[in-house]
Amino acid sequence: MPLMKLSFTPGLLLLALSCSTWVVSRSLPLMPSGQTTDSCVFYARMLLENITNLLAPDDPTRMFSGMNCTRHNMELNLETNTSTVCLPQGSVCSGETTSAFDRKSCLTNIEKDLSYYYQVLSNQPDSDGTLGSSVLLPLRELMENCFISSLPTDLTSKEGSEDHSSTNGFNQRQRLCKIMKGFHVRTITINRAIGYMNLGEHTT
Ligand SMILES: *[C@@H]1O[C@H](CO)[C@@H](O)[C@H](O)[C@H]1NC(C)=O
Ligand SMILES: *[C@@H]1O[C@H](CO)[C@@H](O)[C@H](O)[C@H]1NC(C)=O
Ligand SMILES: *[C@@H]1O[C@H](CO)[C@@H](O)[C@H](O)[C@H]1NC(C)=O
């Protein structure tokens, strides 16, 4: 069971986001695929903006209208260690100071997150294509440009998708709401990690 339900409280989010000290330093050039990290910062930012917009109460697509998405728990991918291994060196979290920043491990975990969410979201119903154009598209762009090995080998396959017949539209959207909230928090972490690597603060 890769997902765990977490109570989504402002305090928890604050804790998740405050576990970091972001120190400015000089620029550093390369991500694994050879792209400059500047473009990865850009793609990660685009993804985050679109997810943030979908979850906003005034979202014009009204994907989560009428269900108080903000009040639901989030489902977070706990198969990865992104939130801990991508902490910047020297940041203080829960009273412990993180030691050396492991760039490779951070990138690997981000990669796993991206492919996990790509698979899960591809298998969600998307009758009007909003999920595809607002989330899967920018997600795919980030993967293609910065985390090429996170791309699933068979992108078109819908095999093994969840059985939608037994659930109604409201339950499906509710489930999607929880997944998207988890993905939102994870995308914030990923944005910070990519920004941090872009600054090159961890190199010696
Ligand atoms: C959303 O939450 C508010 C405040 O808790 C409540 O008054 C309202 O009925 C809820 N709406 C839905 C659709 O659940
Ligand atoms: C996350 O950490 C656990 C415990 O240290 C480890 O067993 C697991 O392999 C890690 N997962 C990833 C994706 O690195
Ligand atoms: C963000 O979502 C809109 C649709 O809501 C889409 O047109 C746009 O292309 C998306 N942005 C990116 C970078 O894919």
Side-chain angles (χ1 to χ4, degrees):
M1 189 70 181
L3 293 172
M4 187 182 85
K5 290 177 175 50
L6 287 178
S7 177
F8 187 72
T9 64
L12 180 67
L13 183 62
L14 193 65
L15 181 70
L17 299 183
S18 64
C19 285
S20 46
T21 322
W22 305 96
V23 191
V24 178
S25 181
R26 71 217 147 79
S27 269
L28 184 83
L30 294 173
M31 284 304 249
S33 63
Q35 281 275 331
T36 63
T37 40
D38 279 345
S39 63
C40 299
V41 169
F42 172 80
Y43 288 118
R45 183 81 219 161
M46 288 295 106
L47 175 63
L48 178 57
E49 271 179 20
N50 266 16
I51 299 172
T52 305
N53 290 340
L54 278 185
L55 290 171
D58 58 354
D59 164 42
T61 73
R62 304 183 57 76
M63 182 179 266
F64 300 116
S65 65
M67 67 165 48
N68 274 348
C69 187
T70 46
R71 295 178 65 240
H72 283 291
N73 296 339
M74 65 172 161
E75 288 185 10
L76 208 49
N77 178 17
L78 294 178
E79 295 281 282
T80 58
N81 304 318
T82 313
S83 49
T84 49
V85 297
C86 290
L87 279 176
Q89 183 171 359
S91 54
V92 180
C93 186
S94 312
E96 287 178 39
T97 305
T98 58
S99 51
F101 180 77
D102 185 347
R103 180 194 181 94
K104 187 165 180 293
S105 173
C106 176
L107 290 171
T108 305
N109 276 272
I110 291 176
E111 235 164 60
K112 288 191 171 143
D113 274 329
L114 297 180
S115 39
Y116 170 84
Y117 280 108
Y118 196 91
Q119 297 286 6
V120 168
L121 294 173
S122 300
N123 286 335
Q124 297 296 311
D126 185 24
S127 49
D128 64 358
T130 303
L131 193 58
S133 63
S134 304
V135 182
L136 289 172
L137 180 70
L139 172 56
R140 204 185 155 154
E141 277 179 339
L142 175 61
M143 292 161 88
E144 279 175 349
N145 288 288
C146 305
F147 297 92
I148 192 74
S149 55
S150 66
L151 278 173
T153 42
D154 184 6
L155 282 169
T156 52
S157 171
K158 288 243 170 188
E159 233 54 68
S161 72
E162 288 167 32
D163 179 16
H164 304 138
S165 53
S166 57
T167 49
N168 65 33
F170 186 79
N171 286 344
Q172 285 170 359
R173 284 197 305 143
Q174 207 165 57
R175 171 95 213 285
L176 183 58
C177 153
K178 295 175 180 184
I179 296 170
M180 285 292 288
K181 285 180 69 172
F183 189 30
H184 187 223
V185 169
R186 187 51 49 88
T187 304
I188 292 170
T189 305
I190 290 172
N191 266 261
R192 292 189 162 210
I194 291 176
Y196 175 68
M197 287 185 269
N198 193 37
L199 294 172
E201 176 59 27
H202 60 287
T203 55
T204 49

